[in-house]
Amino acid sequence: MFEHKFINARIMDGTGAPWFRGEVATVDGRIAEVGRSITGQAREIVDVGGRVLAPGFIDVHTHDDLAVLRDATHAPKLLQGVTSVVLGNCGFGGSPSSPARRDDLVRYAAPVLGPMPGPGAWDAFGDYLDALSGAPSSVNAVSQVAHGAVRIAVMGFENRPATPAEIERMCALVREAMEAGAIGLSFGLLYAPGCYADRRELVAVAATAARAGGMLNCHIRTEGDTLLDSLTEVMDIAEAAGAPLHVSHLKVVGKRNWGTIGRALDLIAGRRARGLDVTCDIYTYTAGSSTLLSVLPPWVSAGGAKEVLARLADPAARERIRRDMEGNLPGWDNFAGMLGWDRVVISGVDTEANRSLEGRNIEAIASERGQHPVDCMLDILLEENGRVTMILHQMSDEDVKSVLRSDFAMVGSDGIPLETGKVHPRHYGTFPRMIAHYVRQERIMPVEEAVRKMTAISALRFGLAERGLIAKGAFADLIVFDDGKIEDIATFEDPRRYPVGLDRIYVNGKLAAEEGKPSAERAGRLIRHRCACCGPQTSLACN
C-alpha cells in the first residue's frame, strides 16, 4: 500500500533530461516507484492533471538560520517550492560564540539574521544544531559554520592578523562544528571581521573543515573592479587547503564593469580544468541586499559596537570616511562610488522613527534633509545603532544570464529574512522567477535544465543525500506546479507577496502546502554532515 500515488504527471526528475509522462508512488517519506504506470493501491491518489511534478527546490544560499526557528512554517521559502535550505552563509551565523563577545556577535549577525538570542545561547555550534533538530520546520536544513562568528568568538573585531594561538583556537571551533554536523565553512571576506583575516588564517581554518570532509563557501572580498583578483584569492586558498570551493552569488558590480562576467566564468572554468572542485550560485535579480555598514570602508567596523558608533559621530573620522569614499581604497568595493547614491536604497531600519525611509534611496533622503549623501548615511546609521539593511541596484541582467547558463552554477536566494521593512523580493520570489523570467520570457534554457539547477546539482553540492531527484529510494520532497503559470509577484515596492502557480508541496512525503497555503505539517529535518567515512545523514552526527 503506497501512501501517495501521483498520476497524470509531467515528470521533471531533476537530471535535466526531457520530461516524461508518468506516475510516482511514495511510502514512509521516500519515493517507492517511478514509472509510466504504477500498479498497486495508495491511500491517496494525487491527480497532477498534466502539470509538472519535480523535486523540491533547494535554496543553497540563505540567511534563514534564525528564521526557521522564529516561524517553523517558513512560508517565504516553502511557498516558492523550496523544501531544503542551506544555512550559515557569507560568514554570518548565530554560533559559535563566547560569553565575553556575544554582544559583538549580535551586532554583526542581527541585521542579516534577525533578532538574536542572548548570552549563553549556542556557545557551541552543536548547541545551535540541537536547537534546529528540536524545533522541526516545514523545510529541511543543513548548516555551515560561519568564519565571522568563529573569529568574533576568538578575537572580536580586531583589525589585525591572528596570532598562531588564535588561529589554533579558531581551528578548534571549526573542528568542533564539523564534528557536530556542519557541512563546511563559510567566509564573508567583504565584511568585518572576515576582511581582516590574512591568508595564513584563512587557509588554516579552511583546511580544518576540509580534513573533516567539509567544503569552503566564500563571499569573496570584492565583486566590482577587482573581481578577478578576489576570485583568484579564494581559489588559491581552496587549493592550498585541499577544500572543495563554492563561490557565493557570483556577479560583477558597477555599470563600468558590466559585460566582464565572462572573464570570471573563464577563470573558474580554467581552475576546474586544472582539478579544483569549484562551483557557484546566483540569485535571479539584478539587485543585491546587505547591511548599510558594508558601504563603509572596512576600517570603520574595527573594534566593538561602541567604537564603530563613536567613529560615525566623530567629525575627523567622518571626514576620513568621505575622503575614502570619494577616492579609491585598494581592495575595497566602494559601492556608492561604483553605483551612485540613487542606487543605494534603505530596505530595513530598527526604529519606528525612521520607518518612512524604507524603500527610499540615499540620494533622495539626503536631498530632503539638505545633507551630503555621506553625512546622511552616517546619521541614519547612528540613529539606528548601525542596524540598517539596504538594497543595491548593481548588476546587468545579461551578466546574470551568463552565470545562470554556466555548467557549474546553481540558484540561491540570498534573501534577508527581516520581519519589518522593504525586504528584497528575492526572499519571496527567487525560484518561481527562474522559470517565469529566465525560462518563459528570456528562453535562456529549457525548463528541465532550470529545475536541475534548483534541485539535483544543489543537493549533490551541499550534501543533501538522496534529495534533489525523482528516483526510487530518494526522499519524497516533491512539488507540483504549472510551468506556464508559475510566477513571482513580489516587487521592490511590495515585496511580501507569495508566488502563484504552485499547487502542492511535499516535504519528506508529507503535504506541506497546497494552493499557496501552508499545512500544519512540520516534516522538515535537520541534516547533519558526518565524517568522510560515514557520509551525510539525517540523524545524529558521528560519536
Side-chain angles (χ1 to χ4, degrees), residues 245-267:
L245 173 66
H246 186 80
V247 178
S248 294
H249 42 61
L250 180 65
K251 59 181 174 288
V252 61
V253 173
K255 191 171 184 178
R256 65 181 179 238
N257 298 312
W258 292 352
T260 63
I261 195 67
R263 295 170 61 192
L265 294 170
D266 289 344
L267 191 62

Side-chain angles (χ1 to χ4, degrees), residues 389-444:
T389 54
M390 65 175 178
I391 289 172
L392 294 170
H393 293 274
Q394 59 189 3
M395 297 147 63
S396 154
D397 200 43
E398 290 303 313
D399 288 347
V400 173
K401 293 176 191 175
S402 295
V403 177
L404 285 171
R405 289 189 188 102
S406 64
D407 294 336
F408 44 80
M410 54 203 76
V411 177
S413 71
D414 196 17
I416 298 179
L418 299 181
E419 296 176 329
T420 61
K422 298 279 189 180
V423 298
H424 195 304
R426 65 190 181 186
H427 190 54
Y428 286 76
T430 292
F431 292 84
R433 180 174 168 80
M434 177 67 176
I435 297 173
H437 181 67
Y438 289 106
V439 172
R440 281 207 314 267
Q441 183 175 334
E442 298 295 327
R443 300 182 182 275
I444 70 168

Side-chain angles (χ1 to χ4, degrees), residues 229-254:
D229 293 339
S230 291
L231 270 178
T232 299
E233 176 192 24
V234 296
M235 289 191 289
D236 287 348
I237 288 169
E239 284 186 340
L245 173 66
H246 186 80
V247 178
S248 294
H249 42 61
L250 180 65
K251 59 181 174 288
V252 61
V253 173

Side-chain angles (χ1 to χ4, degrees), residues 441-461:
Q441 183 175 334
E442 298 295 327
R443 300 182 182 275
I444 70 168
M445 67 183 71
V447 64
E448 294 92 341
E449 176 63 9
V451 168
R452 186 181 77 91
K453 286 181 173 291
M454 297 186 284
T455 57
I457 61 172
S458 305
L460 180 65
R461 190 53 165 163

Side-chain angles (χ1 to χ4, degrees), residues 259-289:
T260 63
I261 195 67
R263 295 170 61 192
L265 294 170
D266 289 344
L267 191 62
I268 293 173
R271 288 296 184 101
R272 285 169 62 88
R274 281 172 40 183
L276 179 63
D277 182 4
V278 53
T279 54
C280 70
D281 63 64
I282 186 170
Y283 42 81
T284 55
Y285 296 81
T286 58
S289 185

Side-chain angles (χ1 to χ4, degrees), residues 71-128:
D71 181 2
T73 304
H74 207 42
K77 294 299 172 63
L78 177 67
L79 296 183
Q80 291 186 56
V82 170
T83 56
S84 298
V85 295
V86 178
L87 310 173
N89 285 286
C90 294
F92 289 100
S95 180
S97 66
S98 61
R101 296 190 171 97
R102 185 69 188 178
D103 287 347
D104 284 339
L105 180 62
V106 169
R107 177 177 72 84
Y108 174 66
V112 174
L113 305 183
M116 296 274 289
W122 312 331
D123 286 349
F125 190 78
D127 295 339
Y128 167 66

